[in-house]
Amino acid sequence: MGEKTQNHETHKVIIIGSGPAGLTAAIYAGRAGLEPLVFEGQEPGGQLMTTTDIENYPGFPDGITGSEMMDLFREQAVKFGAKPFFKTVTNVDFSRHPFLIWTDDNTEYHAMSVIIATGASAKYLGLKSEQKLRGYGVSACAICDGFFYKDKEIVVIGGGDTAMEEALFLTHFGKKVTVIHRRDKFRASKIMAERVIKHPKIDIKWDSVVEDILGEQNQQGVTGVRIKNVKTGQTEIIPCSGVFVAIGHKPNSDPFKGQLDMDDAGYIITKPGTTVTSVDGIFACGNVQDKVYRQAVTAAGSGCAAAIDVDRWLNTLEA
Ligand code: NDP
């Protein structure tokens, strides 16, 4: 670790996270003259950077890629005075005011208010073999890794929109894609589920759970998955070279544990209809506090609300 440095200035607002929520908060806070610092985190742009075309964000009737959209968000935020930094927040102290924030380069920052927009990350099954074979055929991002499975057999695990999107995207590469879902009905939206069910390259294993991922940490990597039908108890091996886990997300709230009220899954609790957290002056928006809607457009909307809440709160301090 390098030497500790301290940023002596007290910033009006620091925004943690740079997905649709964080960058929309940055646009609004910038336009309100709050000169927000934005700590972008390990994945600048957030989850949309690993998605395919976004077809449901209003204003883009022909769709737009996630990375193009986030570049536009960032450009707009910078235009209004936001300062993005490629830094990750490692620790905070919200028990003191101004609040203290530490980043991965060992710098300490002081802020009058904070907007948390750290989003959520992909969940894994928790199998030992899954952990062992990450990078050897196990992935949670088809956009990042799909290209490696040209003309190969691929498995996708999950039944939500992410699993559908991953499976459809992977048909561009794989010779066959098998979706494994633990129930007999997809959770995904009807339109996405139907595209998957009708796709000639996609096979579906219903009522099935993955018991083990087979393979070694060598050039060949993953060779298959062993699945079990939960209704019949029968096991079966599906040969494949790639396994894409698409079973939902976990909120990125670890640095704030013990400092803010959270639910059992780690989602930050906000006062209904606002972005206000359990600590005055700390606001949360986007997927780190929303397990219901989880859309780019709702995240952006709550980012806007967070910036407005911050501005009003800072005004009460001055009054
Ligand atoms: P979801 O929570 O919607 O779905 C997760 C899926 O994984 C479910 O089918 C669930 O099964 C299954 N699952 C969860 N845990 C396990 C486990 N341990 N073992 C096996 N299966 C498991 O997450 P998504 O990431 O798919 O979607 C999140 C949100 O983002 C949703 O609101 C979705 O609509 C949205 N989204 C929208 C997109 C778009 O519009 N283009 C694209 C991607 C996501 P079960 O159904 O049995 O609970």
Side-chain angles (χ1 to χ4, degrees), residues 3-42:
E3 212 174 286
K4 279 196 178 179
T5 53
Q6 196 177 345
N7 180 299
H8 289 286
E9 191 180 341
T10 298
H11 301 277
K12 290 181 200 128
V13 59
I14 287 182
I15 299 171
I16 310 175
S18 59
L23 290 177
T24 303
I27 292 168
Y28 275 77
R31 292 192 84 234
L34 300 178
E35 301 169 319
L37 297 195
V38 182
F39 295 141
E40 296 191 281
Q42 279 159 354

Side-chain angles (χ1 to χ4, degrees), residues 55 164 168 189-200 202:
E55 296 176 345
M164 303 300 108
L168 290 165
S189 55
K190 206 169 165 217
I191 183 168
M192 297 285 275
E194 273 173 7
R195 276 186 209 163
V196 165
I197 291 166
K198 285 187 188 148
H199 201 289
I202 301 179

Side-chain angles (χ1 to χ4, degrees), residues 47 51-56 122-126 157-166 180-189 192 208-210 245-249 287 291-296:
Q47 282 185 68
T51 193
T52 43
D53 284 347
I54 298 164
E55 296 176 345
N56 53 9
K123 279 201 293 196
Y124 284 86
L125 295 168
I157 305 164
D161 279 324
T162 303
M164 303 300 108
E165 201 177 61
E166 301 271 276
I180 297 167
H181 183 39
R182 63 184 178 181
R183 291 191 292 134
D184 60 1
K185 191 174 182 300
F186 284 139
R187 177 178 296 277
S189 55
M192 297 285 275
S208 297
V209 292
V210 173
V245 185
I247 60 166
H249 295 85
N287 289 7
K291 59 180 171 190
V292 179
Y293 301 109
R294 298 185 293 194
Q295 301 299 303

Side-chain angles (χ1 to χ4, degrees), residues 92 116 118-121 250-269 287-289:
V92 295
I116 300 173
T118 44
S121 298
K250 170 185 173 303
N252 297 322
S253 58
D254 285 354
F256 318 111
K257 289 225 159 94
Q259 309 249 352
L260 296 173
D261 286 353
M262 294 178 191
D263 71 8
D264 292 344
Y267 286 91
I268 295 174
I269 295 173
N287 289 7
V288 73
Q289 54 86 55

Side-chain angles (χ1 to χ4, degrees), residues 218-271:
N218 56 24
Q219 222 184 347
Q220 195 181 9
V222 166
T223 54
V225 292
R226 189 176 72 243
I227 62 168
K228 181 168 128 186
N229 184 301
V230 290
K231 288 193 173 151
T232 64
Q234 243 180 0
T235 59
E236 174 184 0
I237 286 176
I238 316 265
C240 63
S241 310
V243 175
F244 288 82
V245 185
I247 60 166
H249 295 85
K250 170 185 173 303
N252 297 322
S253 58
D254 285 354
F256 318 111
K257 289 225 159 94
Q259 309 249 352
L260 296 173
D261 286 353
M262 294 178 191
D263 71 8
D264 292 344
Y267 286 91
I268 295 174
I269 295 173
T270 49
K271 209 168 130 191

